[in-house]
Amino acid sequence: MTNANYYVVIMAGGTGTRLWPYSRQEHPKQFHDFLDSGQSLLQATAERFRSICPDSNILVVTSLAYKERILAQLPFLSESQVLTEPFKRNTAPCIAYASYKIRQQDPDALIVVTPVDQIILEEARFHHILQQALTQAALHPVLLTLGVKPSRPDTGFGYIQFVEGDDEICKVKTFTEKPPQELAEKFLESGDFVWNAGIFVWRVSAIIQALETHLVEIAENFVEALPHFGTAQEAEAIETAYTKCKSISIDYGVMEKADNVYVITGDFGWRDLGTWKSVYEVLPKDKHGNVSSGTIQLYETKNTLVKAPKDRLVVIQGLDDYIVTEFDNVLLICKKDQEQRVREFVEDARKRGEGFV
Amino acid sequence: MTNANYYVVIMAGGTGTRLWPYSRQEHPKQFHDFLDSGQSLLQATAERFRSICPDSNILVVTSLAYKERILAQLPFLSESQVLTEPFKRNTAPCIAYASYKIRQQDPDALIVVTPVDQIILEEARFHHILQQALTQAALHPVLLTLGVKPSRPDTGFGYIQFVEGDDEICKVKTFTEKPPQELAEKFLESGDFVWNAGIFVWRVSAIIQALETHLVEIAENFVEALPHFGTAQEAEAIETAYTKCKSISIDYGVMEKADNVYVITGDFGWRDLGTWKSVYEVLPKDKHGNVSSGTIQLYETKNTLVKAPKDRLVVIQGLDDYIVTEFDNVLLICKKDQEQRVREFVEDARKRGEGFV
């Protein structure tokens, strides 16, 4: 059941370039339904948390350009629940803004911070872990992060080294963002590393204290803006604050420096939906290992992801291990193991300046 | 210069299934500009012959569905110059219809019959050969066909075996349509075989005599329709005639049986534009052997044909020896050596009955 003290902050400011051509500047990945689930990533993320707090306690932080679309996809939000950032400054300023906002409303708030681009396959297990985290955060002024047992030496994630605690809650020793392959393999062998899911749980007082200790300038910028919160000057004050903020992640700026950081590790079917390969991996395959979404005819094709609008016919013969995605006015065909290069393709497309990105 | 006795019959009734998704039931290949030349195959074919006869002597035989589009693409034609076939009956009934039509207008006519889906790279040489053929046809009651020296044992063409005559004009010994690989190789070795270009030259009296000798029923059907030519009943009479006609090619029904058949062989850059591979072969390649038509970004891609509308961006990484063609609401990706299977893909698409063919 929901708790009036619980707040959820959904960080939805990203552009998801690697999921182009679906993810576009004007229509980024959080608004798409990559899994044909009937819900966009934004909607699925919001639904995941509606059961733990009142709708009025859900905040979405995003850029001004996306505010209307967010309100359209989440009609239960009021305008004041969509915080808009004037520029991208990574996660620390985003979390600072939301935290001071929430403290003004409820100094005893317990906050869950989540990215918008994740899939949770085991919702029940997830909520069990989350409740544990919220209980701990209510009892102690700690910074909690959710950890996931690594299944492979993935170099795209952040790794958390923990020191033995009781079963599920451990003190964090080190954070390592996107390690090189060899290091990631060592982490896996050692057994005392987990993936950082990027989902944080803390008391508003705990995170604000951490910000004021480890990111003094950023904290000060928002303290200056505070008197204007809820007034016609809020946007202007926030723009001033963001202009002075450096771009820095909460992991690097706070979690790696604070000494009251704990990780709760669970197995709740966590997936980070950052690339086409991750979309391929999370979706069901046919007997040839193909994932098809759309009106599609495949011949001698294996291990391939094909996604296109239903009103277009896609006929493919003789592809193995490719990504074929078509959206709006762009078609992308790329080897699955080259998915990271989508960024490069988008940069080249941007130079055409013809509305392809 | 043009000659008032010369007539040209363009056979434009085909559907060009193997060039799908560009070639569609409603918009078949003859109306497309596959070479980005600024002219459709129909327009390029018509232009090729405007220099040898008056515009009023050019007839196009097609199905009713295409009449308007043909008049739109060839505005110099009058309605009466587009002969419409009620059903497809292969080339013999098509040529019979046109021949009786022309004889009514000019009993001394000399006719050139041509398919609509050919490319002639050496127009000057072509016209030289054509003039020789027309001269011979004026002097003798012969059936002339244009031959092309074979460059490979292609199993998709018809082969003509000739007996030695003077340099360029030889009596035909045998016709062999689409021979098996081994046979095609033998033909090439023997040196006395040429490809049948499917371009015929004859006096109207010669072809009608041949039809009335070797395809008696078909000839009779059109003789019965004759009185209605040029009247309001022509369409009805032609429908009756076609209903009674069997489907048979002029090669099989006449050329293989007549004893007054000659071939004039020339090297005029003849290309049959029947498949995507043939489109690939005739177009200029970049240094990686790619042919690109549209707004296209290629990465680590070789020997591939990419064709899409200019307002769409196509990004391809890591393909070798493929065909990627997109048109309207269909995308086709296929290994180049599997191009013959396009027919199968279209059949499967037809079953969807959703306007993809």
Side-chain angles (χ1 to χ4, degrees):
Chain A
M1 62 307 194
T2 69
N3 181 315
N5 273 122
Y6 293 171
Y7 287 76
V8 171
V9 174
I10 300 173
M11 298 185 290
T15 50
T17 306
R18 289 172 305 166
L19 287 170
W20 181 80
Y22 273 76
S23 192
R24 301 283 185 102
Q25 218 158 345
E26 293 307 308
H27 196 73
K29 67 177 177 181
Q30 56 266 35
F31 299 112
H32 287 280
D33 176 14
F34 286 103
L35 309 188
D36 294 333
S37 66
Q39 291 182 315
S40 70
L41 288 172
L42 173 69
Q43 290 169 319
T45 303
E47 284 305 321
R48 189 175 303 141
F49 294 98
R50 288 182 80 181
S51 60
I52 71 158
C53 75
D55 287 350
S56 56
N57 289 10
I58 297 176
L59 296 184
V60 179
V61 190
T62 186
S63 74
L64 186 58
Y66 307 145
K67 182 171 184 174
E68 288 316 309
R69 204 167 291 123
I70 282 168
L71 288 167
Q73 287 204 354
L74 304 178
F76 54 83
L77 293 186
S78 70
E79 277 211 32
S80 64
Q81 289 171 262
V82 182
L83 308 186
T84 58
E85 301 183 282
F87 336 99
K88 290 190 196 311
R89 287 289 189 264
N90 208 329
T91 51
C94 162
I95 288 170
Y97 181 17
S99 303
Y100 282 103
K101 258 317 246 206
I102 290 168
R103 189 182 67 177
Q104 192 178 49
Q105 193 171 330
D106 179 354
D108 303 322
L110 280 160
I111 306 176
V112 178
V113 177
T114 179
V116 74
D117 57 354
Q118 299 186 339
I119 306 295
I120 305 290
L121 300 174
E122 310 272 4
E123 293 261 339
R125 287 192 195 173
F126 175 72
H127 281 109
H128 172 72
I129 299 280
L130 199 61
Q131 281 300 342
Q132 281 185 294
L134 285 158
T135 307
Q136 289 299 318
L139 297 170
H140 316 288
V142 293
L143 305 176
L144 286 159
T145 180
L146 267 53
V148 173
K149 282 197 181 54
S151 54
R152 59 186 185 280
D154 198 304
T155 59
F157 297 145
Y159 286 72
I160 296 172
Q161 181 182 30
F162 54 86
V163 289
E164 279 318 319
D166 64 51
D167 301 1
E168 285 161 326
I169 304 182
C170 308
K171 197 165 197 320
V172 169
K173 195 169 158 194
T174 64
F175 275 87
T176 311
E177 193 62 17
K178 299 190 170 68
Q181 188 68 26
E182 320 70 53
L183 193 54
E185 282 162 7
K186 282 206 181 60
F187 287 173
L188 228 67
E189 289 158 18
S190 81
D192 57 0
F193 283 82
V194 292
W195 285 335
N196 179 9
I199 300 169
F200 307 110
V201 180
W202 43 52
R203 248 189 254 165
V204 65
S205 52
I207 184 61
I208 284 179
Q209 187 181 20
L211 288 163
E212 293 176 352
T213 307
H214 305 288
L215 291 172
V216 184
E217 290 118 350
I218 288 179
E220 280 170 353
N221 296 336
F222 288 95
V223 169
E224 284 168 24
L226 212 41
H228 305 288
F229 280 13
T231 75
Q233 286 70 48
E234 177 167 350
E236 196 186 321
I238 288 301
E239 178 152 1
T240 311
Y242 269 81
T243 310
K244 290 186 282 175
C245 284
K246 62 184 170 191
S247 180
I248 183 170
S249 75
I250 196 75
D251 305 79
Y252 184 72
V254 170
M255 306 303 274
E256 293 184 19
K257 296 182 171 57
D259 58 5
N260 58 333
V261 178
Y262 290 78
V263 60
I264 302 191
T265 299
D267 173 12
F268 41 86
W270 176 83
R271 302 286 188 273
D272 175 77
L273 216 62
T275 67
W276 283 115
K277 197 172 181 179
S278 65
V279 172
Y280 171 81
E281 276 156 5
V282 78
L283 286 169
K285 326 272 183 291
D286 68 17
K287 65 179 192 291
H288 304 295
N290 297 312
V291 171
S292 300
S293 166
T295 307
I296 294 159
Q297 291 174 202
L298 300 179
Y299 306 83
E300 298 91 51
T301 291
K302 297 183 300 181
N303 312 314
T304 290
L305 168 67
V306 188
K307 183 169 171 64
K310 289 200 166 21
D311 62 351
R312 302 184 62 77
L313 173 63
V314 177
V315 177
I316 299 178
Q317 185 277 329
L319 286 188
D320 183 1
D321 209 40
Y322 279 79
I323 292 156
V324 178
T325 60
E326 180 162 49
F327 185 68
D328 189 16
N329 57 354
V330 179
L331 163 66
L332 169 68
I333 302 170
C334 176
K335 283 184 177 161
K336 216 195 288 138
D337 61 12
Q338 294 294 306
E339 54 152 19
Q340 295 291 342
R341 295 182 55 198
V342 172
R343 275 220 179 82
E344 168 192 348
F345 306 155
V346 172
E347 268 325 296
D348 293 343
R350 196 186 307 278
K351 291 174 194 136
R352 302 177 175 276
E354 293 165 25
F356 294 123
V357 300
Chain B
M1 60 306 192
T2 68
N3 183 314
N5 273 124
Y6 293 172
Y7 287 75
V8 171
V9 175
I10 299 173
M11 298 184 290
T15 50
T17 306
R18 289 171 305 166
L19 287 170
W20 182 81
Y22 272 76
S23 192
R24 301 283 186 103
Q25 218 157 347
E26 294 307 308
H27 197 71
K29 67 177 177 182
Q30 55 265 38
F31 300 113
H32 287 281
D33 176 14
F34 286 102
L35 309 188
D36 294 333
S37 66
Q39 290 182 316
S40 69
L41 288 172
L42 173 68
Q43 289 169 320
T45 303
E47 284 305 322
R48 190 175 302 141
F49 294 99
R50 288 183 79 182
S51 60
I52 70 157
C53 73
D55 287 350
S56 55
N57 290 9
I58 296 176
L59 296 184
V60 179
V61 190
T62 186
S63 74
L64 186 58
Y66 309 143
K67 182 170 185 173
E68 288 315 311
R69 203 168 292 119
I70 282 168
L71 289 167
Q73 287 204 354
L74 304 178
F76 54 83
L77 293 187
S78 70
E79 276 211 32
S80 63
Q81 291 170 260
V82 181
L83 307 186
T84 58
E85 300 183 284
F87 337 98
K88 290 189 195 310
R89 287 288 190 263
N90 207 330
T91 51
C94 162
I95 288 170
Y97 182 17
S99 302
Y100 282 103
K101 251 331 241 200
I102 291 169
R103 189 182 65 177
Q104 194 178 47
Q105 195 171 330
D106 179 354
D108 303 322
L110 281 161
I111 306 176
V112 178
V113 177
T114 179
V116 74
D117 57 354
Q118 300 186 339
I119 306 294
I120 305 290
L121 300 174
E122 310 273 3
E123 293 262 340
R125 288 193 195 173
F126 175 71
H127 281 109
H128 172 73
I129 299 281
L130 199 61
Q131 283 299 344
Q132 281 185 294
L134 285 159
T135 307
Q136 289 300 317
L139 296 171
H140 315 288
V142 293
L143 304 177
L144 286 159
T145 179
L146 267 52
V148 173
K149 283 196 182 55
S151 53
R152 59 186 185 280
D154 198 303
T155 58
F157 298 145
Y159 286 74
I160 296 171
Q161 182 181 27
F162 54 86
V163 289
E164 279 317 319
D166 65 50
D167 300 1
E168 283 160 328
I169 303 179
C170 308
K171 197 163 195 323
V172 169
K173 196 167 160 196
T174 64
F175 275 87
T176 311
E177 192 62 17
K178 300 190 170 65
Q181 189 67 28
E182 320 69 51
L183 192 54
E185 282 162 9
K186 282 207 181 60
F187 288 173
L188 229 66
E189 291 159 19
S190 80
D192 56 1
F193 283 82
V194 292
W195 284 335
N196 180 8
I199 299 170
F200 307 111
V201 180
W202 44 50
R203 245 190 256 165
V204 66
S205 53
I207 184 60
I208 284 177
Q209 186 181 20
L211 287 163
E212 292 176 352
T213 308
H214 305 289
L215 290 171
V216 184
E217 291 119 349
I218 288 179
E220 282 169 353
N221 296 336
F222 287 95
V223 169
E224 284 169 24
L226 211 41
H228 304 290
F229 281 12
T231 74
Q233 286 70 48
E234 176 167 351
E236 197 186 320
I238 287 302
E239 179 153 0
T240 309
Y242 269 80
T243 310
K244 290 186 280 175
C245 285
K246 62 184 170 190
S247 180
I248 183 169
S249 74
I250 196 74
D251 305 79
Y252 184 72
V254 170
M255 307 302 274
E256 294 184 20
K257 297 183 170 54
D259 58 7
N260 58 333
V261 180
Y262 290 77
V263 59
I264 301 191
T265 299
D267 173 12
F268 41 86
W270 176 83
R271 302 287 187 273
D272 175 78
L273 216 61
T275 67
W276 283 114
K277 197 172 180 178
S278 65
V279 172
Y280 171 81
E281 277 157 5
V282 77
L283 285 169
K285 325 273 184 288
D286 69 17
K287 65 180 191 290
H288 304 294
N290 298 311
V291 171
S292 299
S293 168
T295 307
I296 294 158
Q297 290 175 201
L298 300 179
Y299 305 84
E300 297 93 50
T301 292
K302 298 184 299 183
N303 312 315
T304 290
L305 167 67
V306 188
K307 184 170 173 62
K310 289 201 166 21
D311 62 351
R312 302 183 62 77
L313 173 63
V314 177
V315 177
I316 299 177
Q317 185 277 329
L319 286 188
D320 183 1
D321 209 40
Y322 279 80
I323 292 156
V324 178
T325 59
E326 180 163 48
F327 185 69
D328 189 17
N329 57 353
V330 179
L331 163 66
L332 170 67
I333 302 171
C334 174
K335 283 185 176 161
K336 216 194 288 140
D337 61 13
Q338 295 294 305
E339 54 153 19
Q340 295 291 344
R341 296 185 50 202
V342 172
R343 275 217 180 84
E344 166 192 348
F345 306 155
V346 172
E347 269 324 297
D348 294 343
R350 197 185 306 279
K351 292 174 195 136
R352 302 178 176 276
E354 293 165 26
F356 295 124
V357 299

